[in-house]
Amino acid sequence: MRRPVIAGNWKMYKTRGEAAAFIEGLKPRIAAVRYCDVVVAPPFTALAEAAEAARGSGIGVAAQDVHWDTEGAHTGDIAPGMLVDAGCSHVIIGHSERRHDHGETDEQVNRKLRAALAAGLTPIVCVGETLDERENDETQKVLERQFRRGFAGLTPSEFSRIIVAYEPVWAIGTGRTATPEQAQESHAYLRGLARGQFGKEQVQGVRILYGGSVKPENIEGLMAQPDLDGALVGGASLKVDSFASIINYPSA
């Protein structure tokens, strides 16, 4: 049985104090949650404070990006070991905003996730199509390209340590959400790619999250789909009330 993950990507929001206060406010709201793992992804500046606030609570802390080198002359980048030192357990890799805003390629995603695995971090690797690609019936073509290149050269054991996040670009921050049926179709396709490339036994526990305007109002329908194993939440993860509602949806 795959254990769901509810992760909040805070993007370029929250100071150190705001991050710590958010986690302190969240902890009592989800103290009774046993069905899923909870992860928050603050900006780099707030990672250490978030990790300290989350200590002992079971809330994991993720960075929003990582470089593939252990150290070096890479102004503005951050090494995997630095994230571990700050208290991170996870790292988001290949988010569409990194791909679009910074020209990140599938090959760079591959290098980053390898470095993250080597450092003992759990990569949350994002894939997904744009609106033009969906309207041109290229969703599966795009997902296959991102999957094959992004996970090239991994062993089945390495792949089993990764969390995949399907994020249709047209649904991120737009208020538009893929229907549960659309999300399920893409999740099932990704799971099929995983079985074909890495084998059924090794990847049966790999979790695939949905991201794209996830809200308390739509989480139940999304999570009812057999191949959805959680959510990567954007805007709704910035407020304790809405994020806690998403996490607590089974008992709502």
Side-chain angles (χ1 to χ4, degrees), residues 2 18 24 26 28 34 42 47 49 53 65 77 88 102 119 124 128 161 174 198-199 225 227 235:
R2 297 185 300 271
E18 289 169 343
E24 292 296 344
L26 181 66
R34 298 289 181 269
L47 288 173
E49 283 80 0
D65 189 32
D77 283 312
C88 290
H102 300 274
I124 302 174
R161 295 166 54 198
T174 64
F198 297 105
Q225 305 306 308
D227 285 296

Side-chain angles (χ1 to χ4, degrees), residues 67-78:
H67 198 274
W68 50 81
D69 281 346
T70 56
E71 58 183 8
H74 303 294
T75 301
D77 283 312
I78 193 162

Side-chain angles (χ1 to χ4, degrees), residues 107-213:
E107 289 73 19
Q108 289 173 326
V109 167
N110 183 266
R111 296 177 72 181
K112 289 180 177 187
L113 72 86
R114 286 173 175 274
L117 288 171
L121 294 162
T122 299
I124 302 174
V125 183
C126 302
V127 297
E129 80 283 5
T130 66
L131 180 59
D132 284 346
E133 289 165 342
R134 171 162 282 275
E135 289 181 341
N136 288 323
D137 200 26
E138 295 178 344
T139 295
Q140 292 189 354
K141 177 182 177 181
V142 171
L143 293 181
E144 181 174 9
R145 185 196 74 234
Q146 292 175 337
F147 189 96
R148 302 267 185 230
R149 295 179 181 176
F151 301 123
L154 295 181
T155 66
S157 177
E158 289 171 330
F159 182 74
S160 71
R161 295 166 54 198
I162 291 169
I163 297 171
V164 180
Y166 168 61
E167 291 201 312
V169 180
W170 48 271
I172 298 174
T174 64
R176 299 179 60 178
T177 307
T179 66
E181 293 74 21
Q182 287 173 322
Q184 167 59 24
E185 182 180 27
S186 290
H187 279 236
Y189 182 71
L190 287 165
R191 201 173 299 284
L193 290 174
R195 282 195 297 268
Q197 187 161 332
F198 297 105
K200 180 179 179 179
E201 295 303 318
Q202 284 285 355
V203 305
Q204 62 184 0
V206 170
R207 294 170 290 185
I208 306 177
L209 314 184
Y210 171 78
S213 298

Side-chain angles (χ1 to χ4, degrees), residues 8 10 20 38 40 58 61 83-84 86 94 102 106 116 136 170 180-181 183 212 215 219 240 247:
W10 293 352
V38 177
V40 295
V61 174
L83 300 181
V84 174
H102 300 274
D106 296 322
N136 288 323
W170 48 271
E181 293 74 21
K215 301 180 285 290
I219 183 65
V240 171
I247 295 167

